[in-house]
Amino acid sequence: MLLLSSHEKDLGGGFVVRRSLPAADRRSVGPFIFFDHFGPVNELPGANHDVRPHPHVGLATVTYLFEGAMMHRDSLGTRQLIEPGAINWMTAGRGIVHSERRPEHLRDRAFVNHGLQLWTALPLAHEETEPAFSHTPAADIPQVRVGQAQVRVLVGEAFGARSPVKALSPTLYLDIALPAGAAIALPPLAEEIAFYAVEGEFAIDAKPVPVRTMAVVDAGPLTLEAKTATRVAVIGGAALEVPRFMWWNFVSSRKARVVQAGEDWKAQRMGQVPDETEFIPLPPTPFTPPEPRS
């Protein structure tokens, strides 16, 4: 079992996330190449943690909230309120621009924001696909009771339930809630798999996993046991065909494509989000993404 400690990163304005992927010891788990956990954080009236328009290439973003809300807008003209329990899947493909802002109805209200922001690398055959956005409401996400465990099948298939969310490669994403002392037996669910302790502490085959830590393990079978009341995010799927180059918001199997994406954004050739006038500029660093690693 490989344990990955999350590290804090300030995205601006004091909005801090805990990042588990990519890590020095592990760059991806199945198609997942990026794993951010934010909150729970009290959003006070007047606080500005809006994410201004920014681009993506070669990946899909997967947004999932436990609490709170955010407003998604993108260069396709999509305008979607993101709320707890829903899956919001944005396929960047050849390029998309989006923003994530505090909803207007919450501008003057305090609320708690808590969720996960993940990226998956698109399969080689779909790296340059047309961009798209898909919203699956919480009511459409299947939920299964397995002993004392409550399992939400966000993406993929588990325990006889299949998510309606369409991924472009074999992908697994689960939200498992366990009371203290409860356990769940997991059959092999994916070629590559990892478990992240969102809340509480748990053990995998009697090996402890601290809170806010990711455990990458063999495919199973295995037993998950809650030491305290626990919420666990499970990610996995088929291994990437080849490692990816990853720089800022751009992902590709080809280094030249990442460089080109940076040049396109600098020249503002990637489209605009309707009703948005701001944007996040390209970082002032050379277009030299590191060599890809799996």
Side-chain angles (χ1 to χ4, degrees):
M1 181 167 69
L2 173 65
L3 294 180
L4 303 176
S5 298
S6 58
H7 63 277
E8 292 190 349
K9 184 173 179 61
D10 191 329
L11 300 185
F15 185 64
V16 176
V17 301
R18 290 170 291 277
R19 184 163 297 167
S20 298
L21 288 177
D25 293 332
R26 186 82 185 206
R27 303 292 289 180
S28 61
V29 177
F32 291 95
I33 56 173
F34 185 92
F35 189 109
D36 271 4
H37 176 204
F38 57 89
V41 60
N42 290 313
E43 294 286 354
L44 301 176
N48 184 4
H49 292 148
D50 288 356
V51 181
R52 294 168 293 159
H54 58 283
H56 291 290
V57 160
L59 58 87
T61 65
V62 191
T63 307
Y64 183 64
L65 295 182
F66 302 115
E67 298 178 86
M70 61 178 66
M71 179 60 72
H72 165 96
R73 297 186 182 91
D74 63 41
S75 51
L76 301 175
T78 308
R79 185 185 180 96
Q80 177 64 54
L81 179 65
I82 297 177
E83 296 180 294
I87 282 289
N88 298 273
W89 185 287
M90 186 183 74
T91 301
R94 61 177 176 77
I96 196 169
V97 182
H98 77 126
S99 65
E100 293 167 325
R101 295 188 181 272
R102 186 174 187 146
E104 286 300 323
H105 72 281
L106 294 176
R107 283 286 171 194
D108 299 320
R109 292 174 51 191
F111 66 100
V112 175
N113 227 9
H114 185 202
L116 300 173
Q117 179 74 63
L118 280 56
W119 296 355
T120 67
L122 296 178
L124 293 177
H126 296 281
E127 282 190 304
E128 296 295 323
T129 195
E130 290 297 308
F133 180 85
S134 174
H135 171 79
T136 304
D140 292 348
I141 299 294
Q143 189 163 291
V144 183
R145 187 87 178 177
V146 184
Q148 292 180 276
Q150 199 72 38
V151 181
R152 302 193 78 231
V153 184
L154 308 179
V155 185
E157 185 174 5
F159 301 106
R162 181 187 293 273
S163 169
V165 177
K166 298 189 183 304
L168 293 173
S169 64
T171 304
L172 179 73
Y173 189 12
L174 309 177
D175 175 5
I176 301 179
L178 286 160
I184 181 174
L186 295 167
L189 294 172
E191 179 185 351
E192 295 184 350
I193 194 166
F195 299 80
Y196 177 81
V198 177
E199 297 170 343
E201 297 182 357
F202 66 95
I204 298 174
D205 291 340
K207 298 175 182 177
V209 180
V211 68
R212 296 173 180 172
T213 299
M214 180 175 287
V216 184
V217 299
D218 294 334
L222 51 83
T223 298
L224 195 72
E225 181 182 359
K227 300 302 183 182
T228 61
T230 301
R231 189 165 207 162
V232 180
V234 184
I235 61 170
L240 295 177
E241 313 101 310
V242 297
R244 298 300 199 270
F245 292 96
M246 184 172 169
W247 181 74
W248 195 41
N249 296 320
F250 309 131
V251 173
S252 180
S253 59
R254 297 178 293 117
K255 188 173 184 177
R257 180 65 180 97
V258 175
V259 173
Q260 182 63 55
E263 293 173 351
D264 289 343
W265 181 242
K266 186 176 182 180
Q268 288 293 288
R269 291 192 295 257
M270 294 185 66
Q272 293 183 328
V273 179
D275 302 321
E276 291 273 18
T277 57
E278 299 179 300
F279 65 90
I280 299 176
L282 193 72
T285 53
F287 303 156
T288 53
E291 292 302 311
R293 291 175 57 191
S294 58

